[in-house]
Amino acid sequence: MTALTDFQDAFAAALAGDAAPLGPWLADAQAPGLSVYRNTIAKGRVDALAANFPTVAALVGDEWFGAAAALFAREHPPAGAALLAYGEGFAEWLARFPPADDLPYLPAMATMDALRTRALFAAEAEALSPDAFALEPEALAAARPRPHPSLAFAWFDSGLPALWLAARDNDIGAMTWNPEPQGILIVRPAETVACRVIDAATHAFLAAVRDEAPLGEAIGAAAEADPDTDLPALFAALIADGVFVGLGDA
Amino acid sequence: MTPTAGLGLKPQHYDEAQARLAQGLWFEVHPENYMSAGGPRLRRLAAIRERHPLSLHGVGLSLAADADPDPAHLAALKALADRFEPFVVSEHLAWSTWRGVHQPDLLPFPRTRAALDRIAANIGRTQDALGRAILVENPSLYLPLAGHELDETEFLAELARRTGCGLLVDVNNVFVSAANLGYAPEAYLDALPARAIGEIHLAGHGADEGGSALLIDTHAAPVSEAVWALYARLVARIGPRPTLVERDDDIPAFEVLMAERDRAHAVLAEAGA
């Protein structure tokens, strides 16, 4: 232990509310400067969470979000200075946060915000054009499509993805909670993040691709999820979304 | 082009920053905001870097912590420095990460000789990792800590002497700290070694909304006339140095910030930049 270590332990305690250990360095435990540091740190963490969870922040308003985010940050402070991904576990935390009991859709909103934030900062990769899939049927069925590094998708028991998209677009009129299950697809093949609602067949297809299944198997999974689905249209839409960046051999 | 006066780059000004050409104009960013695998921010920064000099001004290396700099953070900083070839890489005489918890602020410490040894070693590690010298900035201070063995100016001069790092003089931080701790900002600035100073920062401050008598380094207001006067005095003594106008809150239109940066440019031009 050095004096600098002792000081930093004492200062960290003071930031958390107990200024007594800082006594050897600071006579006045009520010094207003301590509040300045506490406020700056709280604001920095809340601002980072608001940037990473913009839909949650918009839905609940600045005051509610600021109070909730400050509590989350106290329990789960960031580990490092790059705050671009800060907020892991915020959705699960909101699900256990009693004041959010009246907002049962909120954790799902946070889950989708986090997926979108991750897609925003994911690695660059060029999406395959439709020409890349002009293969003999057997070769195509055996090929394993590689997903874009930014690809994220999830399935929900009800129409939360449509609710999230409407909230993102600030389209309050469209914010109805459809009871039908649906999924969300998020991908950033170029400059902007694209988000859309997906059906069970598309979700099954993407899950198979994520598990490195060959294309034939992924198509089978989609057909099984929804025998009525238009498979060529489903596949063409995903190619247009820029979901695939490569085709590996069987 | 020699960088004269620059602006802190804000995402809402990407288009204007990319398009604008002005003599000596450069931009500065916090590397922490660009530490990602990819994404539109990095693309925009690359496009702006094609037309303007860039400085990386770190806020998260925690040089004054009694711990080695985080290797992952250093590696991410080096990757950005290698990619964007900034003309300056700078950090703060402060700490922010301690025992695995990051406090997004620039925290104070008692300036002891032992702290000097530790921080000089941390600067040395950083410079070795980056393969270049960095500049170290004076923080804004809010607490009358006991236990200092060196004045801040002595401390900074000694860091420069030992490590070969340069100094980034934030004139607004000098003004705020001097007001909060009760010393003369002119004497502070006069005590800094001119040769070590590689960059100057200007920003706005405000009163403490908490009601105390403290001045707060808010970066939410125009540069005050008192800080402009100290700046002119400093440049008259040491000569022109790349100067940044910082604004991080209540951000006005790009041209409003450009007018402030033009004022700094005029001071530098008068001094022979």
Side-chain angles (χ1 to χ4, degrees):
Chain A
M1 291 280 275
T2 70
L4 186 55
T5 282
D6 291 343
F7 173 81
Q8 275 152 352
D9 283 337
F11 203 90
L15 291 175
D18 177 14
L22 204 51
W25 296 277
L26 188 68
D28 177 8
Q30 306 297 320
L34 279 177
S35 302
V36 173
Y37 290 114
R38 287 185 190 122
N39 292 343
T40 303
I41 289 164
K43 180 178 187 302
R45 291 171 175 175
V46 168
D47 286 354
L49 288 168
N52 295 347
F53 296 90
T55 315
V56 175
L59 282 171
V60 299
D62 289 345
E63 197 174 329
W64 198 100
F65 187 85
L71 281 173
F72 171 80
R74 206 171 303 167
E75 292 174 31
H76 304 276
L83 299 174
L84 299 181
Y86 178 46
E88 197 186 335
F90 188 47
E92 295 76 8
W93 184 88
L94 280 173
R96 297 188 309 268
F97 183 50
D101 285 349
D102 297 342
L103 312 168
Y105 52 85
L106 210 54
M109 301 295 110
T111 296
M112 285 181 269
D113 274 351
L115 291 176
R116 186 188 177 279
T117 297
R118 199 172 67 195
L120 187 64
F121 296 115
E124 307 286 344
E126 181 132 6
L128 287 183
S129 71
D131 303 346
F133 298 90
L135 302 175
E136 294 298 323
E138 271 184 30
L140 192 61
R144 295 170 198 273
R146 281 198 305 279
H148 195 281
S150 69
L151 174 68
F153 57 93
W155 189 252
F156 295 87
D157 295 338
S158 62
L160 291 159
L163 187 71
W164 179 71
L165 286 175
R168 279 189 50 75
D169 294 342
N170 208 11
D171 187 355
I172 305 298
M175 283 178 57
T176 51
W177 191 347
N178 180 338
E180 293 297 310
Q182 59 183 206
I184 189 79
L185 162 64
I186 300 172
V187 67
R188 198 204 77 238
E191 187 76 14
T192 53
V193 182
C195 312
R196 70 174 170 96
V197 169
I198 55 174
D199 57 21
T202 303
H203 183 263
F205 185 95
L206 290 171
V209 166
R210 180 189 53 202
D211 295 342
E212 299 178 20
L215 204 42
E217 226 172 85
I219 287 170
E224 194 175 325
D226 178 5
D228 297 330
T229 197
D230 180 345
L231 288 166
L234 180 160
F235 191 41
L238 290 174
I239 294 170
D241 286 326
V243 159
F244 308 112
V245 295
L247 273 179
D249 292 333
Chain B
M1 187 191 72
T2 308
T4 59
L7 281 177
L9 180 64
K10 308 312 294 181
Q12 53 268 61
H13 294 154
Y14 279 154
D15 286 342
E16 290 132 306
Q18 193 173 334
R20 193 74 148 82
L21 292 176
Q23 194 195 343
L25 177 62
W26 55 282
F27 292 99
E28 184 163 284
V29 297
H30 298 318
E32 290 77 8
N33 292 338
Y34 295 84
M35 287 180 176
S36 64
R41 264 193 218 176
L42 279 168
R43 290 175 176 226
R44 294 309 300 266
L45 190 62
I48 289 164
R49 176 66 188 92
E50 280 180 20
R51 299 189 52 155
H52 298 287
L54 183 73
S55 152
L56 294 181
H57 181 52
V59 293
L61 201 47
S62 201
L63 287 172
D66 199 4
D68 295 352
D70 173 20
H73 191 92
L74 264 183
L77 182 60
K78 178 169 167 49
L80 287 169
D82 288 348
R83 174 171 176 187
F84 291 104
E85 300 179 341
F87 73 98
V88 166
V89 177
S90 56
E91 254 290 349
H92 292 84
L93 182 63
W95 60 285
S96 53
T97 303
W98 182 243
R99 298 201 192 277
V101 173
H102 176 69
Q103 318 273 6
D105 200 356
L106 299 162
L107 301 173
F109 61 95
R111 291 181 303 270
T112 61
R113 296 193 183 281
L116 183 69
D117 292 342
R118 163 48 93 174
I119 297 167
N122 284 351
I123 292 171
R125 284 190 183 88
T126 301
Q127 295 185 143
D128 289 346
L130 297 177
R132 62 187 293 165
I134 64 168
L135 304 182
V136 176
E137 177 182 335
N138 59 296
S140 42
L141 299 173
Y142 302 97
L143 286 172
L145 292 183
H148 294 304
E149 294 169 8
L150 293 92
D151 289 341
E152 192 169 88
T153 51
E154 292 176 305
F155 200 94
L156 286 164
E158 188 59 17
L159 284 177
R161 194 187 67 76
R162 287 197 198 180
T163 69
C165 76
L167 303 181
L168 195 176
V169 180
D170 188 314
V171 178
N172 185 58
N173 288 358
V174 173
F175 183 83
V176 164
S177 299
N180 290 341
L181 301 184
Y183 52 79
E186 294 86 355
Y188 179 104
L189 288 169
D190 290 349
L192 291 170
R195 258 197 347 193
I197 299 172
E199 184 183 337
I200 301 172
H201 273 184
L202 301 172
H205 56 260
D208 181 10
E209 287 178 2
S212 79
L214 293 171
L215 289 185
I216 312 294
D217 174 34
T218 55
H219 295 195
V223 178
S224 74
E225 287 306 319
V227 167
W228 280 116
L230 288 170
Y231 172 60
R233 191 172 178 280
L234 176 64
V235 171
R237 176 172 81 86
I238 69 170
R241 295 290 192 282
T243 299
L244 185 84
V245 174
E246 294 180 291
R247 187 70 170 263
D248 295 309
D249 224 331
D250 290 341
I251 295 166
F254 183 72
E255 288 306 324
V256 173
L257 294 180
M258 275 301 290
E260 279 194 289
R261 103 90 225 182
D262 290 348
R263 182 169 172 184
H265 175 79
V267 172
L268 296 171
E270 185 141 329

